[in-house]
Amino acid sequence: MNQPITPSRHVSSAASSPTTFYHESATRPFDPTSELKGQVECDVAIIGAGFTGVSAALDLAEAGLKVIVIEANALGAGASGRNGGLVCSGWRHDQMWFEARMGKDDAHKLWALAETAKADLLSRMARYGIKADWQSGQIFAAHTPAQLKALDADARHMGDHYDYQKPLRLNKDEVARALGTGVYHGGWRDPSAGHLHPLKLLYGLAGAAHGAGAIFHENTRALEIGQNGAGRFVRAAKG
């Protein structure tokens, strides 16, 4: 069954050129690519040149497959080139939240998955020499005494049940020195988390994928995914 693709209303148009700080401070790894026209064949077609698509293209191209990546806009025009650049430990909720909803075993699996992803990110940057302005460490600061108690409880839980004892407790003065404000009651610093320049990361991964043989076509919006007698296909505006 063929599946038409409806563009998200959140996606910028192909005609718009990003003008963020990230785009002004990063250098593309290769010249803008042409729109896909006509019919081409490949082993794997990837829709979207964000972190997920570009990382998949890199792995598959290095495995010897012919990979084509189509991107509706320019490389890095969407969320992968515009996000906050935070590389966190775990997920949006703490592990006690997950344990209460899915049980301890699955919560531990989720934590392990997040830790593996963080390690994979750092190893990829090292392997491909990606200079993404990595800065290690994140501070979780408490606005209220009650919030500090919650952070303390979370740290104890992670140490006792996940053997995660990396974070360092900061008192009110230590947080003030680190952040330049005395409004917080204390907090914790996680040295294994950090921050990076997301577009430099994306450009680095895309450059490695391009070097491995992946073919990119920007300004090429996917309209339909389907199957015919020759196999599966992706239909774009002109290709």
Side-chain angles (χ1 to χ4, degrees):
M1 180 178 178
N2 296 352
Q3 301 175 11
I5 298 176
T6 302
S8 167
R9 63 184 178 85
H10 300 293
V11 176
S12 57
S13 72
S16 65
S17 178
T19 56
T20 68
F21 162 78
Y22 291 147
H23 291 83
E24 292 295 327
S25 57
T27 303
R28 278 185 58 109
F30 46 82
D31 292 336
T33 58
S34 62
E35 178 183 359
L36 175 63
K37 297 179 181 179
Q39 181 172 313
V40 295
E41 293 186 358
C42 61
D43 296 312
V44 181
I46 295 175
I47 301 173
F51 289 140
T52 303
V54 169
S55 295
L58 173 56
D59 290 345
L60 293 167
E62 287 190 332
L65 298 178
K66 181 180 179 181
V67 180
I68 293 178
V69 183
I70 61 173
E71 164 58 45
N73 300 290
L75 177 66
S80 292
R82 299 171 182 254
N83 67 83
L86 295 177
V87 180
C88 301
S89 300
W91 304 87
R92 183 176 180 85
H93 293 284
D94 60 43
Q95 289 305 114
M96 289 184 284
W97 187 93
F98 287 112
E99 290 174 10
R101 287 159 177 80
M102 61 179 59
K104 292 183 179 180
D105 288 345
D106 286 340
H108 273 79
K109 291 177 183 178
L110 269 183
W111 173 259
L113 179 65
E115 286 294 280
T116 300
K118 189 170 59 178
D120 178 71
L121 168 65
L122 296 176
S123 67
R124 280 177 183 257
M125 289 196 295
R127 177 181 177 184
Y128 299 105
I130 299 174
K131 307 299 183 183
D133 302 344
W134 171 255
Q135 297 183 48
S136 62
Q138 285 181 7
I139 291 178
F140 296 86
H143 291 278
T144 65
Q147 190 178 45
L148 184 57
K149 288 183 179 180
L151 289 175
D152 289 343
D154 179 55
R156 287 194 300 270
H157 185 80
M158 294 305 298
D160 293 342
H161 300 282
Y162 290 80
D163 195 28
Y164 192 72
Q165 300 172 342
K166 298 177 183 179
L168 174 68
R169 176 67 147 78
L170 303 177
N171 61 32
K172 181 179 178 67
D173 292 337
E174 289 169 328
V175 170
R177 285 195 295 270
L179 302 182
T181 175
V183 301
Y184 298 107
H185 293 263
W188 288 81
R189 183 182 187 277
D190 183 355
S192 74
H195 181 268
L196 51 69
H197 190 303
L199 188 58
K200 287 184 179 180
L201 172 63
L202 180 64
Y203 279 173
L205 293 171
H210 186 266
I215 301 169
F216 287 78
H217 289 286
E218 295 166 277
N219 297 323
T220 301
R221 185 179 298 279
L223 302 178
E224 180 185 8
I225 301 173
Q227 188 166 355
N228 54 28
R232 297 189 63 81
F233 68 87
V234 177
R235 183 172 63 86
K238 298 182 180 179

